[in-house]
Amino acid sequence: MERTGEGDPAQVVPLLWRQGTVVGRTGLTVDAVVTAGCELADEGGFAAVSMRKVAERLGRGAMTLYVHVPNRAVLVDLMVDAAFGEVSYDASGDDWRAGVRTIVETNRALLTRHPWLLDVDTSRPPLGPGTIAKYDAELALLAATGLPDVEVDQALTVLLDLVRSGVRRVLAADAQAEGEWWAVAGPLLAQLMDPADFPFASRVGQAAGEEYGAASAPDRALDFAVETLVAGLETRLP
């Protein structure tokens, strides 16, 4: 698991806001380094990202990169902030329930486009313009609940965690392969398992298996989790 916030804040924060950056003699910039890092991560995950590989992608020597980005830890923050900066919202209106769905679909699309974001712990978020603009817009969509500010922040945290967990399962699943596996495994299990020994697993598992045509349905589980969160928030409205 990668982590943002592992670099020296005195180096990272100014770079996130492009303070004190320079254009190299060959035209190399921080933005070019970050873009190359994101491209490599899109293609092969974070395992494909190193300062050497980024330099190769740019056709430069590795030492040239360090003039612009001091180390890989800083690069991780820059990459995450750049990805978050792709997000845009129309934060108008006061329908917070529609806002919840907008946040879910926007983040689902972002994580599907950049699956490597699922492998980053952002407990210490990159404090750059991309991250803060995303945070601000998502808070605006939830502020219409009228909940206290801290609860709005907590609601957003839980919602984003639900999306990350759900998208991770969706991306890991292959609907056709899961269906084929269940078509063989389900009947075999039914022959071997006595429902009297496992009454709830038998009853609920059979109902779910018949409904999904597989052992699980990650998309539907995510939708259910979001609906449940919305219902819970409604009980807390002022």
Side-chain angles (χ1 to χ4, degrees):
M1 176 68 72
E2 302 285 340
R3 290 180 173 81
T4 51
E6 293 290 285
D8 180 357
Q11 291 180 317
V12 178
V13 177
L15 271 180
L16 286 166
W17 292 87
R18 300 304 189 265
Q19 296 296 304
T21 58
V22 298
V23 178
R25 288 176 295 178
T26 59
L28 189 61
T29 64
V30 171
D31 288 338
V33 175
V34 174
T35 297
C38 290
E39 289 174 351
L40 287 169
D42 287 343
E43 295 166 8
F46 263 117
V49 180
S50 68
M51 298 298 279
R52 179 182 61 80
K53 291 178 180 177
V54 171
E56 290 174 354
R57 171 61 63 101
L58 293 167
R60 303 288 194 276
M63 295 307 297
T64 305
L65 264 62
Y66 293 105
V67 175
H68 304 278
V69 178
N71 52 56
R72 188 176 183 278
V74 173
L75 178 59
V76 170
D77 280 56
L78 293 167
M79 289 169 57
V80 172
D81 192 66
F84 285 168
E86 297 175 8
V87 171
S88 63
Y89 288 99
D90 177 4
S92 60
D94 57 1
D95 185 351
W96 66 268
R97 295 167 185 81
V100 167
R101 178 52 59 184
T102 298
I103 292 170
V104 170
E105 294 308 321
T106 299
N107 280 276
R108 191 201 299 253
L110 175 67
L111 295 170
T112 302
R113 190 163 64 249
H114 301 302
W116 50 270
L117 287 171
L118 293 168
D119 297 324
V120 187
D121 176 358
T122 58
S123 299
R124 294 179 182 176
L127 302 178
T131 303
I132 293 177
K134 179 177 182 292
Y135 177 57
D136 186 76
E138 290 170 344
L139 291 176
L141 291 169
L142 295 181
T145 58
L147 292 169
D149 286 349
V150 172
E151 291 191 14
V152 171
D153 176 77
Q154 292 171 339
L156 178 59
T157 298
V158 172
L159 180 59
L160 294 179
D161 283 347
L162 285 176
V163 176
R164 285 174 63 90
S165 175
V167 172
R168 185 186 298 278
R169 294 187 64 206
V170 169
L171 294 180
D174 179 328
Q176 180 177 351
E178 294 294 325
E180 293 172 353
W181 173 83
W182 184 249
V184 176
L188 288 173
L189 178 62
Q191 294 174 18
L192 298 170
M193 185 179 75
D194 186 345
D197 294 333
F198 309 97
F200 293 103
S202 177
R203 189 186 78 208
V204 176
Q206 180 178 352
E210 291 174 354
E211 177 73 16
Y212 306 150
S216 63
D219 266 322
R220 292 179 61 170
L222 175 56
D223 290 339
F224 180 80
V226 172
E227 290 170 7
T228 303
L229 175 62
V230 169
L233 289 175
E234 287 175 339
T235 68
R236 304 182 68 90
L237 298 183

